[in-house]
């Protein structure tokens, strides 16, 4: 008898977040032909998302569609997820390592009396099982963890931008031809503890920082709120997102929604432009796993150059517009 994999999808509005496709990509690395893949989709007016997830290789989609699910709220979402896992009895549950996943995963693990491994960045498949790698000590080291036989169910959270997208190019599993059946969960129970009336979202353009492939980030070296304008232009040309250090946020140059670092967001883009950033340990903890780091700073002794793949010593207000113009030519 095969394993039962369960992916709890995460939504942004009516669309499936990229990290959900990456969680499916992680499933594709582990699942075999005899295994069963089930997806839980929670939200409101999510028919388009359910259709997008109706892929060969996914055996069932469980839908929780209600206006109470329009915004994430721990109590109602946990009630849906608890009903889901109690009915489907999965062996492995995967979520994104996002604000929602970090909140929901430990509640599920506690309910299931199971083990949990968070912030997984890679999976090692070996005969008889799997091993999961995750960063520790703010990304300075890595550990590989396995579940013990005593764990009834495995709960995993997947760090965004570390796994291939699963299923978007066709079937989730090789050779799969049938599309999933659908089942609906009942309405959520009433709650008196908390009600989410509205959510104010602040983003760097239309791309979430944690999912951006290219990030153009600024530190105190941008000198003012207007100093972010050249960075925004470069990000626009590259279809990237704009980030910032805590120092830039504390100085009032930008909103804290852009903050990257130990007390902000953790990102792993393909390319990270560090503009006017000295390279404090707190900031490096949020971006040092980027594939390629390009540092621009007037100080040749800045610590950021120690982790950068490419370093440019100079004024960001001269260099960034030149880069923008050259990329615009290349991409036109």
């Amino acid at each position: 008898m095969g394993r039962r994999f369960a992916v709890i999808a995460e939504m942004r509005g009516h669309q499936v977040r990229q990290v959900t496709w990456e969680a499916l990509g992680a499933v594709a690395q582990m699942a075999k032909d005899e295994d069963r893949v089930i997806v839980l989709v929670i939200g409101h007016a999510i028919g388009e998302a359910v259709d997008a997830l109706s892929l060969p290789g996914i055996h069932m989609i469980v839908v929780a569609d209600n206006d109470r699910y329009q915004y994430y709220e721990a109590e109602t979402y946990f009630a849906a997820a608890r009903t889901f896992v109690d009915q489907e009895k999965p062996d492995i549950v995967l979520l994104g390592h996002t604000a929602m996943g970090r909140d929901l995963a430990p509640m599920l693990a506690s309910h299931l009396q199971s083990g949990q491994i968070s912030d997984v960045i890679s999976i090692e498949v070996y005969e008889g099982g799997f091993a999961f790698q995750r960063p520790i000590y703010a990304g300075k080291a890595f550990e590989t963890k396995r579940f013990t036989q005593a764990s009834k169910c495995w709960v995993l959270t997947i760090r965004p931008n570390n796994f291939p997208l699963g299923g978007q190019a066709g079937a989730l599993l090789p050779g799969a031809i049938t599309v999933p059946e659908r089942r609906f969960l009942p309405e959520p129970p009433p709650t008196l503890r908390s009600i989410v009336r509205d959510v104010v979202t602040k983003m760097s353009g239309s791309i979430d920082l944690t999912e951006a492939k290219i990030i153009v980030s600024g530190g105190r070296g941008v000198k003012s709120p207007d100093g972010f304008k050249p960075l925004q232009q470069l990000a626009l040309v590259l279809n990237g997102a704009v980030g910032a250090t805590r120092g830039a946020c504390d100085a009032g140059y930008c909103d804290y929604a852009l903050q990257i670092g130990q007390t902000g967001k953790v990102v792993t883009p393909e390319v990270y432009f560090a503009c006017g950033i000295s390279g404090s340990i707190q900031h490096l903890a949020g971006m040092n796993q980027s594939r390629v780091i390009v540092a621009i700073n007037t100080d040749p002794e800045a610590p950021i150059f120690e982790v950068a793949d490419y370093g440019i010593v100079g004024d960001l207000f001269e260099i960034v517009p030149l880069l923008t113009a050259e990329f615009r030519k290349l991409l036109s």
Side-chain angles (χ1 to χ4, degrees), residues 13-285:
H14 305 303
Q15 304 296 319
V16 181
R17 284 194 64 171
Q18 177 179 298
V19 71
T20 298
W21 298 109
E22 293 170 2
L24 289 170
V27 169
Q29 292 183 15
M30 296 184 284
K32 299 179 180 178
D33 291 341
E34 65 270 21
D35 295 333
R36 185 171 174 83
V37 182
I38 309 165
V39 178
L40 170 64
V41 189
I42 308 173
H44 178 53
I46 52 177
E48 183 178 341
V50 174
D51 290 341
L53 288 165
S54 297
L55 303 167
I58 296 177
H59 299 83
M60 178 185 291
I61 297 180
V62 178
V63 182
D65 191 338
N66 189 278
D67 58 3
R68 289 271 305 283
Y69 296 131
Q70 183 173 0
Y71 304 117
Y72 175 74
E73 193 277 315
E75 190 175 8
T76 52
Y77 270 57
F78 173 61
R82 180 181 57 201
T83 301
F84 168 72
V85 296
D86 286 347
Q87 291 179 353
E88 300 303 327
K89 302 187 184 320
D91 299 294
I92 304 174
V93 180
L94 296 94
L95 305 90
H97 192 70
T98 60
M100 172 183 142
R102 293 195 299 268
D103 193 37
L104 195 57
M107 291 191 287
L108 279 175
S110 177
H111 172 70
L112 294 165
Q113 296 184 339
S114 67
Q116 177 186 340
I117 299 178
S118 300
D119 204 14
V120 175
I121 61 172
S122 68
I123 299 172
E124 176 188 345
V125 181
Y126 62 93
E127 187 175 353
F130 309 102
F132 305 94
Q133 188 180 70
R134 62 186 297 272
I136 56 174
Y137 303 126
K140 296 183 183 68
F142 300 88
E143 65 176 0
T144 300
K145 304 186 76 172
R146 298 176 176 86
F147 288 95
T148 66
Q149 295 298 323
S151 185
K152 299 177 182 178
C153 175
W154 302 355
V155 178
L156 303 167
T157 62
I158 302 299
R159 179 182 284 200
N161 275 348
N162 279 269
F163 289 88
L165 304 182
Q168 287 197 322
L172 178 67
L173 301 176
I177 55 174
T178 58
V179 295
E181 60 178 301
R182 298 183 186 182
R183 191 169 60 78
F184 293 85
L185 289 183
E187 291 188 3
T191 177
L192 298 177
R193 299 186 198 180
S194 61
I195 298 175
V196 179
R197 296 295 187 188
D198 194 12
V199 173
V200 178
T201 304
K202 295 180 179 180
M203 293 174 56
S204 173
S206 60
I207 303 174
D208 191 311
L209 269 175
T210 60
E211 296 180 351
K213 299 295 184 184
I214 297 175
I215 294 177
V216 183
S217 195
R220 286 185 180 273
V222 301
K223 300 179 181 179
S224 69
D226 287 341
F228 271 93
K229 290 182 179 178
L231 278 60
Q232 292 165 352
Q233 288 298 315
L234 178 57
L236 182 63
V237 169
L238 296 175
N239 193 30
V242 175
T245 65
R246 178 172 178 172
C249 297
D250 287 345
Y253 300 161
C254 60
D255 193 273
Y256 281 99
L258 275 61
Q259 183 182 336
I260 295 169
Q262 196 166 22
T263 56
K265 293 181 172 67
V266 175
V267 298
T268 51
E270 297 290 338
V271 183
Y272 188 90
F273 290 91
C275 307
I277 295 173
S278 62
S280 68
I281 294 173
Q282 290 79 6
H283 183 70
L284 295 180

